[in-house]
Amino acid sequence: MVTRGSVMAENILGGFGLMYKVLARLEEAGRCRRGYFIEHLGAAQFAVPATVDRLRSFAEDTQLSKPEPAALALAATDPANPYGAALPWPALNAEAGTGHRPGRKAGALVVLVDGALVLYVERGGKTLLAFSDDAGILAAAGAALVGVVTRGAVDKLIMEKVNGHGILDTPIAAALARAGAYSTPKGLRIRA
């Protein structure tokens, strides 16, 4: 899927104007399709036919049954992370009195569940921002975050705060503990 936001985020030479001409030629040749496939990504969206078919299958799947949430942990700067590039960062709820804001920063991690941002982990993991309170979604996100450390992509995470408050006795702490994090006097720790 190529949108104006994704092209701008990648700083492609010539910008979206030049890319649009190339994509229009590919569309004329039948190699890609232009349409409004995903809400809120703008009117100029291009995708190969297989991607369009895959997107349609997700729409059909959600109408039939509710599958288990699929979680993915990525570097915040990873091109596969649409937040901060093609999509704006979601707003935190009003009671999250934190001065921290998500951003495409080196060393930071994001955890997406079914494509939606659930966790933003600052470099080193001391501070987290949680964008959901749903227990099932947090369980999937917690397992993905613990998986990043256990597979060796990150050495360790020592988490002390979530949304500006202590992490202990929060729903995300419970989800992380079930996934393999352990409690310390100040917070939670995950080690490989």
Side-chain angles (χ1 to χ4, degrees):
M1 177 69 60
V2 179
T3 65
R4 176 183 297 276
S6 63
V7 171
M8 300 308 282
E10 295 297 321
N11 293 325
I12 294 177
L13 187 63
F16 188 71
L18 182 61
M19 184 60 68
Y20 188 88
K21 290 177 184 177
V22 172
L23 292 168
R25 290 270 170 97
L26 288 171
E27 180 188 25
E28 289 171 7
R31 309 251 341 248
C32 76
R33 294 183 185 161
R34 178 186 352 202
Y36 189 72
F37 306 115
I38 301 176
E39 251 183 316
H40 308 297
L41 288 186
Q45 299 176 22
F46 292 87
V48 294
T51 301
V52 175
D53 293 339
R54 183 79 168 135
L55 287 170
R56 286 181 180 143
S57 75
F58 286 121
E60 292 166 3
D61 288 347
T62 59
Q63 294 170 1
L64 299 175
S65 66
K66 182 86 172 149
E68 289 294 316
L72 178 65
L74 301 166
T77 57
D78 192 313
N81 169 28
Y83 293 95
L87 297 174
W89 294 100
L92 286 169
N93 59 24
E95 62 193 46
T98 177
H100 297 278
R101 296 177 58 165
R104 295 177 75 85
K105 303 171 188 169
L109 300 171
V110 294
V111 180
L112 309 175
V113 177
D114 292 336
L117 181 65
V118 175
L119 293 176
Y120 176 84
V121 184
E122 293 207 351
R123 184 178 185 173
K126 189 173 181 179
T127 302
L128 281 76
L129 298 175
F131 297 91
S132 176
D133 291 330
D134 182 275
I137 290 173
L138 290 177
L145 187 57
V146 169
V148 167
V149 178
T150 57
R151 73 174 181 263
V154 174
D155 186 37
K156 65 182 174 184
L157 290 175
I158 303 168
M159 300 158 287
E160 296 179 7
K161 294 186 180 244
V162 61
N163 294 352
H165 306 289
I167 195 168
L168 296 176
D169 299 325
T170 63
I172 188 61
L176 287 165
R178 280 192 302 276
Y182 61 92
S183 183
T184 67
K186 286 187 171 183
L188 294 174
R189 175 179 233 152
I190 307 169
R191 243 194 276 187

